[in-house]
Amino acid sequence: MSTLLFLHDADVLPGPVGALSRLADHHTVVVPRHPGFGTPIDTTTEDWDSVADLAQHHLTDTLTNLPPDPVHLAGAGFGGWIALEMAVRAPHRFTSLLLVSPYGVKLGGPTEPDFADILLLDPTEIVELGWADPTACHDLRMPGFPTGLTDNEYERAFTDRAALSRYAWKPFLHDPRLRRWLHLATMPTLVLAGSHNRLVPPRHSAALADLLPAAHYVEIPDAGHYPYLERPDEFHRIVRSFLNGETP
């Protein structure tokens, strides 16, 4: 059985949530926490201040602890940025690459922002911009949703926001050097985006796919930034097909 290493976004609860739980029927799904997310930065990571640090951590530590099986690398949003950094550093380590509306590469002009300012948006705005149907979010217990969380979940959400600021404030949500190395990510790649994503516009994900050597772009209708939560059946169908070596 192959392993799906899925790198979580900045504001989604850990573990095989949504469609990932269904993919776990066919793959060993591993969703590690990024250092600083969920728990405070510790003494071993207190000097880390870039996504490159997180990418190196997952390459050297997380991969070491995975089963000795083929590894499919995946990441969503902020986790997609980390996955891209890993893919260009060690393409030989991964069977395929799945990116779900990733941050990390700036493609727009100086007057056209690539990404919404998620560090300044309040929780309600995150939901409004990140979901095709914001009313569908209430049962999924995301930190971005403003009601219904426990004190521990709110505390974890605050810690995650602080960690995101540490790693992604300047340059904002991208590494200006990453684009020049995208040609090294030669593994089969699927870039997924929700049609109603207003945090990372679908046009950005489509343009990013054009810059990757072996990428295929798929847009999921009636979904926002979190299609694995909002459209789990469609997400599962597309991703399972891709992981089986088929064209979605």
Side-chain angles (χ1 to χ4, degrees):
M1 180 180 289
S2 61
T3 296
L4 176 63
L5 175 60
F6 190 93
L7 304 181
H8 66 81
D9 208 338
D11 57 356
V12 176
L13 295 177
V17 295
L20 301 184
S21 63
R22 295 182 58 186
L23 290 169
D25 293 338
H26 312 283
H27 306 273
T28 301
V29 177
V30 178
V31 189
R33 297 296 280 153
H34 313 314
F37 286 78
T39 58
I41 295 285
D42 60 31
T43 56
T44 62
T45 59
E46 62 187 2
D47 294 330
W48 294 9
D49 60 2
S50 72
V51 168
D53 290 319
L54 298 179
Q56 194 61 45
H57 162 76
H58 287 308
L59 284 171
T60 56
D61 293 348
T62 303
L63 283 182
T64 300
N65 295 315
L66 293 182
D69 300 316
V71 177
H72 300 278
L73 177 62
F78 181 67
W81 176 6
I82 302 171
L84 269 174
E85 296 275 5
M86 294 169 65
V88 301
R89 284 169 168 77
H92 61 285
R93 304 285 298 274
F94 306 107
T95 300
S96 69
L97 175 64
L98 167 66
L99 301 170
V100 185
S101 298
Y103 299 106
V105 179
K106 185 172 176 60
L107 301 175
T111 61
E112 182 180 1
D114 289 281
F115 314 122
D117 195 338
I118 57 176
L119 290 171
L120 294 181
L121 295 174
D122 66 36
T124 301
E125 291 171 318
I126 290 286
V127 172
E128 288 294 330
L129 296 177
W131 287 71
D133 179 9
T135 63
C137 178
H138 69 282
D139 289 330
L140 296 173
R141 305 186 67 75
M142 291 175 54
F145 196 70
T147 61
L149 300 180
T150 67
D151 290 344
N152 286 340
E153 287 169 333
Y154 277 118
E155 183 177 352
R156 190 192 65 78
F158 179 81
T159 300
D160 287 359
R161 181 65 65 94
L164 180 64
S165 299
R166 181 186 184 95
Y167 292 122
W169 181 253
K170 288 186 178 181
F172 181 68
L173 287 177
H174 79 288
D175 179 348
R177 295 159 296 195
L178 180 55
R179 181 172 179 172
R180 72 183 69 156
W181 300 111
L182 293 179
H183 66 282
L184 297 178
T186 54
M187 68 285 288
T189 301
L190 175 63
V191 181
L192 279 179
S195 62
H196 288 65
N197 188 351
R198 293 176 293 278
L199 297 177
V200 180
R203 66 179 182 276
H204 177 275
S205 296
L208 176 65
D210 288 339
L211 296 177
L212 293 164
H216 185 68
Y217 173 74
V218 173
E219 191 168 302
I220 299 179
D222 300 318
H225 188 65
Y226 313 93
Y228 47 97
L229 299 177
E230 194 169 16
R231 291 289 180 269
D233 292 343
E234 185 72 358
F235 184 93
H236 174 263
R237 181 188 66 79
I238 293 169
V239 172
R240 186 180 178 193
S241 174
F242 170 68
L243 296 180
N244 286 338
E246 305 166 5
T247 300

